[in-house]
């Protein structure tokens, strides 16, 4: 979410989209739909879609309920982006197609449910298909809808049971939050703002409170919440946060005086801080063990040749890997200057040194051997490795082709 927000900001400052930090689902007519759509039609990717849109009798957006007094819903300005990264191009395409889709006709989906009576037991199956695409035509690349079409059935028809298979399944727990789904949950609970929610998720990961794409609370995250609930529960009280979010909104709309909000906030914050200060030592002692464990988990790269632990360290020149047995062992390894470094527990097949994951802004994650003298750092190896990967992909495609035939 943080990266997507940054990409949208770049598109906005480049003049390609409107202001992105908005919760509005309204498109006022004053933005000039016709002109924007006509300008977008000059781009080859959207020429046919624009032709279809302009053939409609009227252009009226299908709006949602959310409003934002400061900004309308995000929309493209009509200018074609120049010199953008593949990710920026994808976000721009998403915004353009979303903009087109709100002017489209309704889509019609048909659902068919069949109930089979097998020895007085009901067994059901359901299928859904798209009858009229409507707005789906414009938004298709980003649409996640599957068509499951059933054969034609008629009431009272008898079917032949060819096989009976019993599946032993257990009730599955709810899916963990992803970065995007937790932002939707925060929005629904009215916690944070449209500008801060992405940063909140980023901070949780950076400080080691959560881990993974399917967000999982770390021992440090769990212990932090347990400790604060025990000694300073108001700090983690979402009702208090929501209360002040609501008051800030009322303040912005002129429904409440700022003195009232500030006085109430000062009083409650002073109480919270007094409780925290009183139990500061206890909180620190309880979190000490969890923090040490979290630090080891985030920083332990692997084993050193001396038998000690190789740890990610920080200096005024940036991050590096050093042996925990220093000064007895002075082995050190350089790390890329830019990007977030994550440990992988993997070992290089070429030189047997640990491998780390590097994530630079606007780039995909890549694995890097910490040994700068390793053959994997040479251009020849990178080109050979890239060629090998391409060959493997071709082999996989050929296998799939054989299977499909």
């Amino acid at each position: 979410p943080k990266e997507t927000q940054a990409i949208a900001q770049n598109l906005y400052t480049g003049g390609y989209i409107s202001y992105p930090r908005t919760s509005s689902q309204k498109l006022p007519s004053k933005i000039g739909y016709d002109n924007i759509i006509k300008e977008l039609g000059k781009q080859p990717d959207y020429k046919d879609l624009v032709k279809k849109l302009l053939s409609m009798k009227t252009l009226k957006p299908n709006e949602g309920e959310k409003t934002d007094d400061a900004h309308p819903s995000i929309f493209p300005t009509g200018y074609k982006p120049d010199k953008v990264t593949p990710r920026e191009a994808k976000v721009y395409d998403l915004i353009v197609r979303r903009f087109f889709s709100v002017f489209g006709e309704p889509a019609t989906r048909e659902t068919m449910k069949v109930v089979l009576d097998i020895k007085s037991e009901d067994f059901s199956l359901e299928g859904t298909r798209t009858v009229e695409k409507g707005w789906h035509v414009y938004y298709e690349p980003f649409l996640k809808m599957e068509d499951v079409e059933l054969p034609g059935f008629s009431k009272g028809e008898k079917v032949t049971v060819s096989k009976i298979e019993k599946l032993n399944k257990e009730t599955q727990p709810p899916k963990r939050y992803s970065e995007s789904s937790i932002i939707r949950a925060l929005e629904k609970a009215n916690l944070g703002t449209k500008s801060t929610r992405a940063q909140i998720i980023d901070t949780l990961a950076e400080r080691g409170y959560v881990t993974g794409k399917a967000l999982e609370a770390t021992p440090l995250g769990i212990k932090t919440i347990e400790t604060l609930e025990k000694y300073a529960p108001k700090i983690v009280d979402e009702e208090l946060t929501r209360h002040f979010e609501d008051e800030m909104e009322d303040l912005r709309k002129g429904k409440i005086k700022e003195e009232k909000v500030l006085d109430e906030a000062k009083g409650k914050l002073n109480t919270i801080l007094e409780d925290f200060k009183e139990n500061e030592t206890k909180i620190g002692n309880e979190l000490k063990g969890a923090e040490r464990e979290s630090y080891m988990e985030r920083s332990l790269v692997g084993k050193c040749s001396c038998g000690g632990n190789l740890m990610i360290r920080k200096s005024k020149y940036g991050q590096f890997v050093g042996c925990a047995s220093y000064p007895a062992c002075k082995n050190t390894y350089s790390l890329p200057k830019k990007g977030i470094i994550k440990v992988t527990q993997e070992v290089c097949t070429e030189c047997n040194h640990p491998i780390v994951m590097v994530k630079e802004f606007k780039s995909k994650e890549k694995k890097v051997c910490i040994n700068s003298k390793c053959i994997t750092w040479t251009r020849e190896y990178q080109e050979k490795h890239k060629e090998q990967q391409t060959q493997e992909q071709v082999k996989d495609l050929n296998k799939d082709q054989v299977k499909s035939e």
Side-chain angles (χ1 to χ4, degrees), residues 131-335:
V131 181
E132 294 289 342
K133 283 191 172 184
W135 62 271
H136 292 189
V137 171
Y138 306 100
Y139 203 55
E140 218 153 19
F142 302 101
L143 201 62
K144 293 183 179 178
M145 284 190 181
E146 291 184 10
D147 279 13
V148 179
E149 195 164 351
L150 300 181
F153 286 100
S154 58
K155 192 172 182 179
E157 179 185 352
K158 289 186 178 182
V159 295
T160 303
V161 178
S162 59
K163 184 173 71 171
I164 296 175
E165 186 178 352
K166 180 186 174 187
L167 302 177
N168 293 318
K169 292 186 176 181
E170 295 179 353
T171 303
Q172 297 297 307
K175 286 185 178 180
R176 294 187 183 277
Y177 282 116
S178 65
E179 289 188 355
S180 55
S181 68
I182 201 171
I183 282 183
R184 286 196 294 272
L186 287 171
E187 185 178 4
K188 190 175 180 181
N190 195 23
L191 296 171
T193 68
K194 49 190 171 285
S195 299
T196 61
R197 288 178 191 123
Q199 184 61 52
I200 289 169
I201 310 306
D202 200 54
T203 302
L204 287 174
E206 278 185 4
R207 295 183 182 175
Y209 297 136
V210 296
T211 185
K213 287 188 176 180
L215 299 176
E216 183 177 354
T218 62
L220 175 63
I222 294 168
K223 189 65 178 177
T224 300
I225 291 295
E226 289 176 347
T227 306
L228 290 174
E229 284 179 340
K230 183 177 177 181
Y231 295 109
K234 282 291 181 183
I235 288 181
V236 289
D237 181 7
E238 67 175 64
E239 288 299 329
L240 181 65
T241 305
R242 188 182 296 111
H243 169 72
F244 280 114
E245 293 288 359
D246 290 340
E247 289 216 328
M248 289 298 290
E249 184 65 21
D250 288 342
L251 179 63
R252 189 174 67 82
K253 292 179 178 178
K255 294 181 179 179
I256 195 172
K257 296 289 184 183
E258 63 181 71
E259 291 80 9
K260 182 182 181 300
V261 178
L262 287 170
D263 289 344
E264 185 185 359
K266 284 177 186 176
K268 291 192 175 181
L269 283 172
N270 281 332
T271 303
I272 291 169
L273 293 171
E274 284 168 8
D275 288 344
F276 186 86
K277 192 68 180 175
E278 186 179 333
N279 296 290
E280 193 172 21
T281 304
K282 294 176 183 176
I283 292 170
N285 288 335
E286 291 204 14
L287 290 178
K288 195 181 294 181
E291 169 57 32
R292 189 182 295 116
E293 185 182 332
S294 175
Y295 170 74
M296 288 295 290
E297 191 177 309
R298 297 195 312 268
S299 304
L300 179 59
V301 175
K303 284 292 180 182
C304 181
S305 56
C306 75
N309 290 326
L310 289 173
M311 309 289 294
I312 295 177
R313 306 287 196 189
K314 290 183 179 179
S315 73
K316 62 181 180 180
Y317 302 108
Q319 295 186 104
F320 69 98
V321 172
C323 183
S325 301
Y326 179 86
C329 176
K330 296 183 179 179
N331 282 339
T332 59
Y333 300 90
S334 299
L335 287 173

